Amino acid sequence: MYRIVPTAVFAALVGAALPAQAQTLDGHWMAVGDMLGLAPGNIEALTIEDGHAASVLWRAPTEACATAPAAEGCAMPVPSASGAISVDAVTFGITADEADASPFPDVATWPFLALPGGAWSIISQDRRLMSMREASVNGNSVPLMRIWLQVAPEVPEQLYDYLTVGGRDIARSICGVTTLHADAALWQGFTAHLASLSAPMHDMRLGTPQADPSRYGPQAAQSLHQTAAWIQGDLPEGSVMVADILYPVPAATAAAIADCTTRLFGG
């Protein structure tokens, strides 16, 4: 069900609104969430280069795919949108490569970026971007909002593997992920943790883990042990475990994430 959330809540996740410059949009971007309830939880990776944009989605696994991730129709990621991108200081628009083509014929809300409607209005701050616009979904006009984080290209899949293996709700991870991204030191620690676990988490998501975890190397083994300790409550001093992302953060940061989650999801 679509959730009505004040724009200010999303804007607070991005930070102060500044004009977005065309040259700053080239690169790799990631969005996390569920489009305020319009779609199942997902992670979208957007690459913009030389006037062209392409995105892929890692969708929350269905019950069937959770038990058989390698089955037909369960492979991730899946294409979301591809086309020419036009950008100015306050908007961007994407003209799909194939008009009216949808990689999700059974889900009318996808592809997000190429839904019928006007250009996306944008505000940006540092390495974060919020896109907003009205779009036509099933004949109805609905407001869409999406927060994009500039990330290394490997991060979306690593995050997807980590959250999926941990049984986390991808949609609810938006506040934790976005809040950490705003703090360079916290983001560096979080993404280093994801990177150290990338091989075992990927194999575990696909149901093909190594029988001996030590075969992933000492760094992965240490991170697996550390994550298990965190889950058991053995946390760094002054830290609080953020359950939605399975990662400990300073108490003040955890409080900010909890407040954001309450505002977006009601608790």
Side-chain angles (χ1 to χ4, degrees):
M1 179 180 295
Y2 184 76
R3 301 187 303 279
I4 299 175
V5 175
T7 303
V9 176
F10 263 55
L13 283 173
V14 176
L18 296 176
Q21 302 300 321
Q23 65 268 24
T24 65
L25 293 190
D26 274 20
H28 300 279
W29 299 84
M30 176 180 76
V32 180
D34 61 357
M35 297 296 284
L36 297 179
L38 282 174
N42 64 85
I43 297 173
E44 186 167 15
L46 169 66
T47 301
I48 300 175
E49 184 177 10
D50 296 333
H52 188 269
S55 68
V56 296
L57 284 173
W58 284 266
R59 297 180 289 183
T62 62
E63 184 175 349
C65 290
T67 57
E72 184 178 356
C74 296
M76 292 290 150
V78 291
S80 172
S82 179
I85 183 169
S86 57
V87 183
D88 59 31
V90 294
T91 65
F92 78 81
I94 292 181
T95 303
D97 290 333
E98 299 179 37
D100 301 322
S102 171
F104 307 106
D106 57 330
V107 183
T109 58
W110 277 324
F112 301 137
L113 292 173
L115 283 168
W120 291 85
S121 296
I122 51 178
I123 60 175
S124 68
Q125 171 67 28
D126 297 330
R127 299 169 296 120
R128 287 163 288 155
L129 177 76
M130 182 166 77
S131 57
M132 305 164 290
R133 60 169 246 192
E134 296 283 326
S136 177
V137 178
N138 294 331
N140 299 312
S141 180
V142 297
L144 301 180
M145 287 184 282
R146 196 77 155 154
I147 293 178
W148 300 92
L149 310 175
Q150 195 162 33
V151 299
E154 65 273 10
V155 168
E157 184 168 20
Q158 291 175 352
L159 178 62
Y160 179 76
D161 290 342
Y162 187 69
L163 295 177
T164 302
V165 171
R168 303 300 92 183
D169 183 332
I170 291 175
R172 289 178 64 91
S173 73
I174 181 174
C175 289
V177 171
T178 305
T179 300
L180 292 190
H181 184 270
D183 185 304
L186 290 177
W187 184 249
Q188 182 179 16
F190 182 57
T191 54
H193 183 64
L194 295 179
S196 69
L197 290 171
S198 60
M201 289 295 162
H202 187 71
D203 286 354
M204 280 190 272
R205 178 173 69 82
L206 296 179
T208 58
Q210 295 282 352
D212 181 2
S214 66
R215 298 188 65 178
Y216 290 109
Q219 187 175 16
Q222 180 181 358
S223 293
L224 286 168
H225 177 76
Q226 184 179 56
T227 304
W230 290 342
I231 294 172
Q232 294 299 316
D234 185 7
L235 302 173
E237 185 176 355
S239 295
V240 175
M241 186 69 155
V242 178
D244 288 330
I245 57 173
L246 286 180
Y247 193 73
V249 301
T253 304
I257 293 171
D259 179 68
C260 168
T261 302
T262 298
R263 290 172 180 270
L264 285 183
F265 299 95

